[in-house]
Amino acid sequence: MTAATEIDRDLGSPDPEVRRRATSAIPEVPSDRGVDLVVRALGDADWRVRKEATQIALLLGPTESLLRKMVSQLFPGENVGLRNAVVETLAQFGRAAVPSVVSVIARLDADGKKLAAEILGRAQDPDAMTALQRLLADDDPNVRTAAIEAIGDLGGLAVDAASRILREALGTGDVHIQLAALEGLNRLGVVVPWEKLRPLVGDRILRRAALSAASRTGSSEAADALARALGEENPAIFRLALIGLAELAL
């Protein structure tokens, strides 16, 4: 019995520890067979086996065959755990995974595009920004929101481009996109003019993120808004407003 056959058998064991040990032995088999086995292990029902499989995938890759096999899991499927493990692994591959992910985006469904956006945002490759911008024109609002979130995550490597896109997103009128854009701008520490923040501060969903951004504006009107927020009963808003006023003063 070959090593690949033994691993294939043990991956079908009812004992998760047997499956985990089998996963750890995958590097012993030829590469093409190992790719199939590691992807199978990534879809295991037990999180410990999936975690082991992620580590083995990182050890084996990023080869062309492994990337191709993993990217194919972004298409519709029943195994949610597999898709999540693939996202985690591809994101850890970093820029090596970006071309493979970008190459399939146009053929993915909305859920797949959201996963692709997450990978691109975490891959830390500024070249992924172009693909994420294209997703902002997608018909699905959840895909557009995922793209904005990813642009915020990637923004530290391309601050000028990310800042421009995120500031433009504040004017979309879509509260979920606006929130993701504000949170991205806050993470990057980008200054947003008070004129853009003024209409957002009164929105229940956007209020906290908008008040946080207000502290960087240098605007007296922003100071007034933060001062008024001190009178709110919500302790989180009070603390945010207090910190914001201190930052604005500095």
Side-chain angles (χ1 to χ4, degrees):
M1 184 180 293
T2 66
T5 303
E6 290 180 358
I7 293 171
D8 187 58
R9 178 200 63 198
D10 289 348
L11 286 176
S13 170
D15 186 342
E17 180 56 23
V18 171
R19 302 198 302 274
R20 190 196 65 77
R21 289 199 300 268
T23 300
S24 69
I26 289 175
E28 300 174 10
V29 307
S31 58
D32 287 345
R33 187 71 176 103
V35 165
D36 291 335
L37 291 171
V38 79
V39 172
R40 178 182 175 187
L42 284 170
D44 195 89
D46 190 278
W47 69 269
R48 292 166 296 182
V49 179
R50 296 196 300 273
K51 182 178 179 181
E52 184 75 27
T54 296
Q55 296 306 311
I56 297 301
L58 293 173
L59 179 64
L60 295 177
T63 64
E64 182 180 346
S65 59
L66 181 56
L67 288 172
R68 183 169 59 249
K69 185 77 171 181
M70 294 185 71
V71 165
S72 71
Q73 307 308 314
L74 298 176
F75 289 87
E78 298 297 325
N79 193 330
V80 176
L82 172 59
R83 295 181 98 186
N84 290 338
V86 162
V87 168
E88 182 64 32
T89 307
L90 288 171
Q92 290 191 56
F93 279 146
R95 64 174 56 203
V98 168
S100 296
V101 174
V102 170
S103 70
V104 301
I105 285 179
R107 295 184 283 122
L108 295 174
D109 65 356
D111 287 338
K113 289 176 182 177
K114 287 189 294 181
L115 296 176
E118 181 181 347
I119 295 166
L120 296 179
R122 295 172 56 191
Q124 296 299 289
D125 181 3
D127 288 342
M129 190 69 76
T130 300
L132 289 170
Q133 281 186 266
R134 286 197 294 266
L135 286 176
L136 295 178
D138 195 85
D139 292 337
D140 191 290
N142 294 320
V143 172
R144 298 195 296 272
T145 300
I148 283 290
E149 291 173 349
I151 288 169
D153 291 337
L154 192 59
L157 297 176
V159 176
D160 290 343
S163 299
R164 174 181 54 78
I165 296 167
L166 295 174
R167 282 196 295 254
E168 289 175 356
L170 295 179
T172 61
D174 184 319
V175 69
H176 300 293
I177 288 179
Q178 289 172 315
L179 178 60
L182 278 171
E183 290 175 341
L185 290 163
N186 287 339
R187 287 197 301 275
L188 294 173
V190 173
V191 175
V192 180
W194 173 245
E195 290 71 25
K196 283 184 173 291
L197 294 175
R198 185 189 294 112
L200 309 181
V201 169
D203 186 280
R204 179 179 57 84
I205 295 175
L206 303 176
R207 185 163 176 73
R208 292 181 63 172
L211 285 172
S212 181
S215 66
R216 297 189 299 276
T217 61
S219 164
S220 59
E221 287 188 57
D224 290 341
L226 288 164
R228 287 194 299 271
L230 290 174
E232 295 194 15
E233 295 181 1
N234 187 324
I237 293 291
F238 173 84
R239 182 174 182 275
L240 184 67
L242 191 62
I243 293 172
L245 280 170
E247 291 179 349
L248 192 62
L250 290 173

